[in-house]
Amino acid sequence: MHPNAEMLAVLLLGNLMLPLVSAQNAGFVKSPMSETKLTGDAFELYCDVVGNPTPEIQWWYAEINRAESFKQLWDGARKRRVSINTAYGANGVSVLGITRLTLEDSGTYECRASNDPRRNDLRQNPAITWIRAQATISVLQKPKINASDQTTVSVDTSSKPVILQCNLTTAHTPHKESYWMKNGQEIPNTRTELRNTAHRINKPRADDSGEYMCVYTFDMAPNANATIEVKAKPDITGHKRSENKNEGENATMYCRSVGYPHPTWTWRKVDGTSYTDIDNSTGRFFIANRDNFTELSIINLDINTDPGVYECNATNVIGNTAETTILRVRSHLAPLWPFLGVLAEIIILVVIIVVYEKRKRPDDIIDDDEPVGPMKTNSTNNHKDKNIRQRNTK
């Protein structure tokens, strides 16, 4: 055989054997975990598998005490309460989610994975061609909690305390304790073992508004909670009163508020009795809003059009409030103004001195050619000579 033909045969055989050498059976990187939930809640199960080729993933379900009667789950099942999201790459990753849980959702959920070419052959035993990972989901009846109605904090009633109350009326397992939360954070010193719990706000203000939650804990069941909304009109607690910039620079103005629900923010430029709404469509004005904070940025300031009064407005279902910021835009020569002022003063002073010197009277000037003191005349000398001659004659 020709040497080149032998080499080609070796390469061809190597390419044919490469898929066999690099093939990898399916295996779990992450398996679903068992959970206990309450009616009305939701859960998600994760399944991450590896293999070459990338394994196919399926989800199956069996009712409690009927572990052999598995049924395949599909996206959109159970009146669209079931969602299945699967992505294939180097690994296969799938997430099973079910919302608005009922007692009938309890059971065994199974993630199946396989990259066996015979996996969908009905003549094959699925127990051989598919690997499986199971999780048990137990759904318990949610305890009944009677909670206070939502309330509104206003300026007129700010002196009246607000009392929030919760009462655990029905629970299938004994509770341990309860505590209060505000906006997802536990309120200190609110834990108690009583079924009836209350939280008192002595002097409610706008920053006391928010989403309050009473939480009950149990030994053999998940926590149960009830939500009470305390609403208030937005109150802007921080903003820039003025902003001074040079033309061509960027300016930033902001407003920060308290109050609940979180407000809708708007910006506008006020010109006397008229105003102009501001949005992100111009390419120079940019507004960024998040919950109780808003920020307006203006790039490449124009000294002719940008100076003025800018107003931020916060609005929610209870009311609205606004604050203004004065934007001043200076010329490029503004940094030179102090120097030019001093230079002008010096020039004026020099001119005054020169004019003063020029306007002096001639009498005030002394001629260096004139003698300083009075000069003796010849007549005096003549008198002396005459007296001398008269003495000599006697």
Side-chain angles (χ1 to χ4, degrees), residues 106-127:
S106 298
T108 302
Y109 292 81
E110 188 175 82
C111 174
R112 296 183 182 182
S114 176
N115 58 2
D116 192 317
R118 304 166 299 163
R119 61 184 179 275
N120 293 319
D121 189 345
L122 298 178
R123 295 172 297 179
Q124 302 296 323
N125 184 358

Side-chain angles (χ1 to χ4, degrees), residues 218-266:
F218 302 86
D219 285 323
M220 305 298 295
N223 295 349
N225 60 74
T227 300
I228 305 173
E229 290 186 340
V230 178
K231 299 181 179 181
K233 185 183 78 169
D235 180 22
I236 297 178
T237 57
H239 74 289
K240 285 186 176 180
R241 297 185 181 277
S242 63
E243 176 83 336
N244 301 316
K245 291 290 182 178
N246 296 328
E247 59 179 326
E249 293 182 341
N250 301 335
T252 301
M253 293 162 278
Y254 72 90
C255 287
R256 181 182 293 108
S257 73
V258 293
Y260 184 85
H262 297 313
T264 299
W265 292 99
T266 57

Side-chain angles (χ1 to χ4, degrees), residues 26-45:
F28 286 105
V29 177
K30 185 174 184 179
S31 302
M33 304 294 291
S34 298
E35 296 183 63
T36 300
K37 293 291 185 177
L38 299 176
T39 54
D41 290 346
F43 74 83
E44 287 185 339
L45 298 179

Side-chain angles (χ1 to χ4, degrees), residues 244-249 303 328-334 337:
N244 301 316
K245 291 290 182 178
N246 296 328
E247 59 179 326
E249 293 182 341
I303 195 172
R328 302 181 181 91
V329 181
R330 298 170 297 193
S331 168
H332 288 300
L333 298 177
W337 289 348

